[in-house]
Amino acid sequence: MISNNYVPEKINDANIYLNGNKMIGTASSIDLPEAAQKTSTISAMGIAGEIDSPTIGLFESMEQEIQFNTLYSSFQDMLSPLETINITIRAAQQVYDKTGGYAFKGLRVVEMGRVKKFKPGKVEKGETMEASITIELTYLLVENDGVKLVEIDKLNSVYVANDQDILAGYRDLI
């Protein structure tokens, strides 16, 4: 559990890993994927209008785009549509401790999926290429200081939110 004494400030630094191998200098930033639950519109007698109801445990497509400074081995190692890509992002979050001083807390994001598209980028003297790859995610885990904030495993019907297994009862029924 995160202490109330900490004031989260910023990501101090981060690294990206492909299958456990550090990809130093790959990208300057990564926008993490959106996880949107599938919904359907409910309208019935006794309901004043419509309700957009989530189908618990089902998620829309999740994409992760990673931009690369140049076309390098880390990029080419991700191009095969026959292999599952395993990405881990580790970050040191800088927090201010109200009792005095600073501390660092870990953020870990694990993603798995398959290559969906790639963009080789541009070639310009003295500039980065802005190459990118887009992964269709089947797995997403976000941990903050060792606490599972969310885990979505589409292929194994796992949905964990705030360390609670939301689909445990669901899996027992099917």
Side-chain angles (χ1 to χ4, degrees), residues 96-111:
Y96 179 71
D97 186 341
K98 291 189 280 187
T99 63
Y102 281 94
F104 293 101
K105 299 296 173 182
L107 175 70
R108 183 172 77 118
V109 178
V110 178
E111 303 172 341

Side-chain angles (χ1 to χ4, degrees), residues 38-42 51-55:
K38 292 192 78 62
T39 62
S40 56
T41 302
I42 307 297
I51 298 171
D52 212 12
S53 171
T55 304

Side-chain angles (χ1 to χ4, degrees), residues 43-170:
S43 178
M45 290 184 274
I47 297 175
E50 297 177 338
I51 298 171
D52 212 12
S53 171
T55 304
I56 296 169
L58 298 184
F59 290 86
E60 295 178 3
S61 172
M62 295 186 299
E63 291 184 346
Q64 176 63 71
E65 181 183 50
I66 300 174
Q67 290 192 340
F68 291 80
N69 292 332
T70 64
L71 293 178
Y72 197 66
S73 62
S74 298
F75 184 88
Q76 70 190 30
D77 290 345
M78 302 171 89
L79 291 179
S80 175
L82 302 175
E83 297 179 25
T84 298
I85 296 167
N86 186 330
I87 296 288
T88 300
I89 302 161
R90 291 185 175 274
Q93 299 178 93
Q94 181 175 308
V95 297
Y96 179 71
D97 186 341
K98 291 189 280 187
T99 63
Y102 281 94
F104 293 101
K105 299 296 173 182
L107 175 70
R108 183 172 77 118
V109 178
V110 178
E111 303 172 341
M112 288 187 268
R114 295 177 302 274
V115 64
K116 188 171 183 175
K117 62 182 175 180
F118 71 95
K119 181 176 103 177
K122 64 179 182 175
V123 176
E124 182 179 346
K125 181 180 175 181
E127 297 296 327
T128 62
M129 292 185 73
E130 298 176 10
S132 67
I133 191 163
T134 302
I135 304 164
E136 175 65 28
L137 298 180
T138 56
Y139 181 86
L140 173 66
L141 168 70
V142 180
E143 283 183 345
N144 189 358
D145 201 26
V147 176
K148 266 187 207 177
L149 298 181
V150 66
E151 180 180 28
I152 299 167
D153 185 345
K154 289 184 172 187
L155 301 180
N156 292 301
S157 296
V158 172
Y159 175 33
V160 175
N162 198 22
D163 262 344
Q164 179 185 1
D165 188 347
I166 306 296
L167 298 180
Y170 162 92

